[in-house]
Amino acid sequence: MERPFCAFCYASSDKLLKCGQCLQRLYCSAECQRNDWKTKPGGGCHKLYCGIAGEINVDYEIKDTGKDGVGVGVFALREFDKNDMILTERPILKVVERQLVSHNINEIPKTAAPLFESLLPVDGRFQQKWDKNAMDCTGEEDAKKESGLFLVLSRINHDCLGNADHQYLAHRGIKILVAAKHIPKGHEITISYLGSFKPKHERNIRLLSYPFHFICRCDVCTNDELDQKLARTKDLDRAILTLGAKGKIEVAMRKGRALLSLYEQLQQSTWLYQRTYYDLFQVAITKKKYYKDAMHFMEKAHEAALAYTQDPQHPQVLRLQELLISPETHRNYRIIG
Ligand SMILES: [Zn+2]
Ligand SMILES: [Zn+2]
Ligand SMILES: [Zn+2]
């Protein structure tokens, strides 16, 4: 991990080329630089995120956490503001969930082998490394669940309320890591491994069993008040659509506002705001009386999706933009009622 490596193929070398624009991203060859610039799956999308996304050993570093049994982690080398893109990364291998075969190991580029080998468990078999490190790569419009292996993102440690959040952009073939809150220089960057929020006992069971095997001692796990606040976000989140379906729009909107204010207190990811604003739109657009509220929610949802992805072509951004222009295309639209 000491020697710098190519941002595209992970070949490590002391003689790397720099991107001529940001003067930060490193490449082993002009070919890797060209491939990294491409914005379609298979490319690195640096054209979109040159000078926007952080770079290794400039904005963040991989180093030992000094904590027993944890190993390395990813640390901020500068402060990040909420919604700053910490990094973007392409999977070195992606498969439909549960369809991994041992032969897939041959698809990992030779240049990436040393970094792959250093993934936990260090002496583990391919399947064990995959289970411990693979991350969700299911796109917005994908029916099949997919997961992928990332060589930098996989070094990020768990926290039940991570200070960063990730999203796979299937139309780009990359994952983005976005700051959920302000991250001071020197702090460790963390994400939750558990997807949606789960009660403490469920989290403990999941994290203690295969493939994780650790006891979480994050702020949420050691502070009951914080844990209860997070549990409340889950209840409120569920309540919005349930109440909406029963026609209780006022109450649903009240719950939604309470949820947004909890997000604010907990400094949650902007992607969650996007989801909640969208849910509120879906509820409010069912009655003419709440049309203005609905459009306000949609504006906020669109704004949040764009701030988070910084990609005007993201399917969700496009979908929200269309609803902003033509709300009547939503199946819940009942302007007469
Ligand atoms: Zn390269
Ligand atoms: Zn650049
Ligand atoms: Zn925890």
Tab-separated table of all heavy atoms in Angstrom, residues 158-160 203 207 216-221, ligand 3:
chain	number	residue	atom	x	y	z
A	158	HIS	N	-16.730	0.120	9.055
A	158	HIS	CA	-18.145	0.273	9.372
A	158	HIS	C	-18.400	1.206	10.559
A	158	HIS	O	-17.627	1.270	11.509
A	158	HIS	CB	-18.747	-1.102	9.687
A	158	HIS	CG	-20.108	-1.031	10.320
A	158	HIS	ND1	-21.259	-0.915	9.569
A	158	HIS	CD2	-20.494	-1.015	11.619
A	158	HIS	CE1	-22.295	-0.850	10.395
A	158	HIS	NE2	-21.868	-0.910	11.645
A	159	ASP	N	-19.521	1.922	10.479
A	159	ASP	CA	-20.065	2.686	11.603
A	159	ASP	C	-21.579	2.694	11.344
A	159	ASP	O	-21.996	2.913	10.209
A	159	ASP	CB	-19.503	4.118	11.571
A	159	ASP	CG	-19.983	4.967	12.734
A	159	ASP	OD1	-21.214	5.201	12.845
A	159	ASP	OD2	-19.139	5.418	13.516
A	160	CYS	N	-22.386	2.416	12.380
A	160	CYS	CA	-23.830	2.285	12.153
A	160	CYS	C	-24.463	3.596	11.644
A	160	CYS	O	-25.546	3.580	11.060
A	160	CYS	CB	-24.523	1.795	13.412
A	160	CYS	SG	-23.994	0.119	13.848
A	203	ARG	N	-28.448	-5.665	14.575
A	203	ARG	CA	-27.140	-5.212	14.070
A	203	ARG	C	-26.026	-6.043	14.685
A	203	ARG	O	-25.123	-6.499	13.999
A	203	ARG	CB	-26.893	-3.727	14.432
A	203	ARG	CG	-27.858	-2.747	13.826
A	203	ARG	CD	-27.262	-1.348	13.770
A	203	ARG	NE	-26.777	-0.820	15.034
A	203	ARG	CZ	-27.524	-0.134	15.910
A	203	ARG	NH1	-28.796	0.078	15.660
A	203	ARG	NH2	-26.995	0.329	17.021
A	207	LEU	N	-23.372	-8.244	12.578
A	207	LEU	CA	-21.959	-7.862	12.549
A	207	LEU	C	-21.057	-8.882	13.239
A	207	LEU	O	-19.870	-8.965	12.951
A	207	LEU	CB	-21.768	-6.471	13.159
A	207	LEU	CG	-22.433	-5.333	12.374
A	207	LEU	CD1	-22.372	-4.024	13.151
A	207	LEU	CD2	-21.779	-5.151	11.003
A	216	CYS	N	-19.504	-3.941	17.131
A	216	CYS	CA	-19.500	-2.522	16.780
A	216	CYS	C	-19.533	-1.675	18.054
A	216	CYS	O	-20.359	-1.894	18.925
A	216	CYS	CB	-20.671	-2.185	15.873
A	216	CYS	SG	-20.579	-0.495	15.266
A	217	ARG	N	-18.604	-0.712	18.119
A	217	ARG	CA	-18.572	0.187	19.276
A	217	ARG	C	-18.733	1.633	18.813
A	217	ARG	O	-18.144	2.545	19.383
A	217	ARG	CB	-17.256	0.019	20.039
A	217	ARG	CG	-17.115	-1.369	20.649
A	217	ARG	CD	-16.027	-1.435	21.699
A	217	ARG	NE	-16.057	-2.731	22.370
A	217	ARG	CZ	-15.422	-3.812	21.929
A	217	ARG	NH1	-14.704	-3.759	20.833
A	217	ARG	NH2	-15.498	-4.953	22.596
A	218	CYS	N	-19.519	1.826	17.770
A	218	CYS	CA	-19.709	3.179	17.246
A	218	CYS	C	-20.614	3.984	18.189
A	218	CYS	O	-21.161	3.445	19.156
A	218	CYS	CB	-20.303	3.116	15.839
A	218	CYS	SG	-22.065	2.765	15.816
A	219	ASP	N	-20.779	5.277	17.902
A	219	ASP	CA	-21.594	6.164	18.747
A	219	ASP	C	-23.024	5.639	18.925
A	219	ASP	O	-23.595	5.731	19.997
A	219	ASP	CB	-21.651	7.567	18.148
A	219	ASP	CG	-20.319	8.288	18.282
A	219	ASP	OD1	-19.447	7.759	19.010
A	219	ASP	OD2	-20.151	9.351	17.662
A	220	VAL	N	-23.587	5.091	17.845
A	220	VAL	CA	-24.972	4.614	17.925
A	220	VAL	C	-25.068	3.398	18.850
A	220	VAL	O	-26.004	3.276	19.633
A	220	VAL	CB	-25.509	4.223	16.526
A	220	VAL	CG1	-27.004	3.978	16.566
A	220	VAL	CG2	-25.175	5.285	15.500
A	221	CYS	N	-24.063	2.529	18.761
A	221	CYS	CA	-24.090	1.301	19.557
A	221	CYS	C	-23.770	1.552	21.031
A	221	CYS	O	-24.020	0.701	21.866
A	221	CYS	CB	-23.129	0.275	18.968
A	221	CYS	SG	-23.737	-0.384	17.408
B	3	ZN	ZN	-22.555	0.526	15.650
